Every structure is written in C-alpha cells, then in structure tokens.
Amino acid sequence: MVSVFSDRTRSDTSPLSGESMYAFLDRVAGPVWDRIRDLIEEWVKGYCPTGQTEIVERLHSKRDIDFTSAYWELLLYHGLKAIGFDVSCHPAVAGTTKRPDFLVEGDECSFYLEAKVSR
C-alpha cells in the first residue's frame, strides 16, 4: 500500500500560504487535519488496487488542480460504493482505446463516469 502523507509528528498550525494543497495537508498540525489525512489514506487504501499509485502521484502534485481532481475521484468512488454500486476503475470500452474513470453498475442501471474538475 502506498502512503499518501509522511509519517511524522506535526507541530505547525500556520494557515495555507503559497504552498500546494498537498504540501499544506502534509505539514499542518491539528485534529481536524489529522482526520482529513486519515480519511484520504483510508480512501486510497480502499481504492482500486491498480489505480492507487497513480492517484497518490496526483495527490502529491504541486498543481492543486491535480490534487483536487484526484480527491474528487476518490470521493465519487467511495460515495458510489457507499450507496451500493459496484465500481470498476478505468474499464475498457469496446470500440475505443479511451478509458473512462469508472464503470458504475447497480441492480437496474450501469453507466460510465468521467470525473472532471474545472477551474
């Protein structure tokens, strides 16, 4: 399992200041931030095994849009699973080489989902 955040004692409680979202979350101390880090770690651990390394790389990005889009995919994946859907990551689609983020399957429906974040 790939860890998202460094394993260290944190003491810096200063606010976000010109750093990436990942750098901030990896630095900042406090129980709220501990819980957010723990939740993201849990989500990555429960994500599709073949996609964990790639999603962690995006979370580590210095570009906040990459962090946000990875977080959005994790949120959608676990939200859909929580309400009873089966979710497959990056499924093959007949007739194309493109792979959407998810194939979502339920008792009465199935659909492809591409998670997008716009600026």
Side-chain angles (χ1 to χ4, degrees):
M1 202 326 258
V2 178
S3 289
V4 179
F5 299 101
S6 59
D7 182 18
R8 62 189 173 97
T9 302
R10 292 169 176 83
S11 59
D12 188 346
T13 59
S14 61
L16 179 68
S17 178
E19 61 201 320
S20 69
M21 183 56 64
Y22 171 77
F24 171 72
L25 288 173
D26 197 44
R27 169 189 60 79
V28 70
V32 169
W33 306 113
D34 292 341
R35 180 62 190 125
I36 290 169
R37 281 188 293 272
D38 290 346
L39 179 63
I40 292 172
E41 292 281 5
E42 288 173 32
W43 280 357
V44 168
K45 184 178 178 182
Y47 192 66
C48 304
T50 58
Q52 289 177 359
T53 299
E54 184 263 342
I55 206 114
V56 168
E57 287 172 0
R58 289 173 43 220
L59 288 166
H60 283 186
S61 177
K62 293 180 181 178
R63 294 173 9 121
D64 284 345
I65 192 78
D66 295 336
F67 177 93
T68 303
S69 68
Y71 181 85
W72 181 231
E73 284 182 37
L74 289 169
L75 177 69
L76 289 171
Y77 177 86
H78 287 286
L80 289 163
K81 300 272 293 173
I83 58 175
F85 286 102
D86 292 321
V87 183
S88 302
C89 296
H90 304 106
V93 179
T96 183
T97 58
K98 295 184 179 184
R99 291 178 173 252
D101 291 321
F102 306 117
L103 169 60
V104 182
E105 299 176 285
D107 291 338
E108 298 186 28
C109 69
S110 66
F111 58 93
Y112 295 107
L113 178 64
E114 181 68 23
K116 289 291 183 185
V117 173
S118 61
R119 294 180 187 207

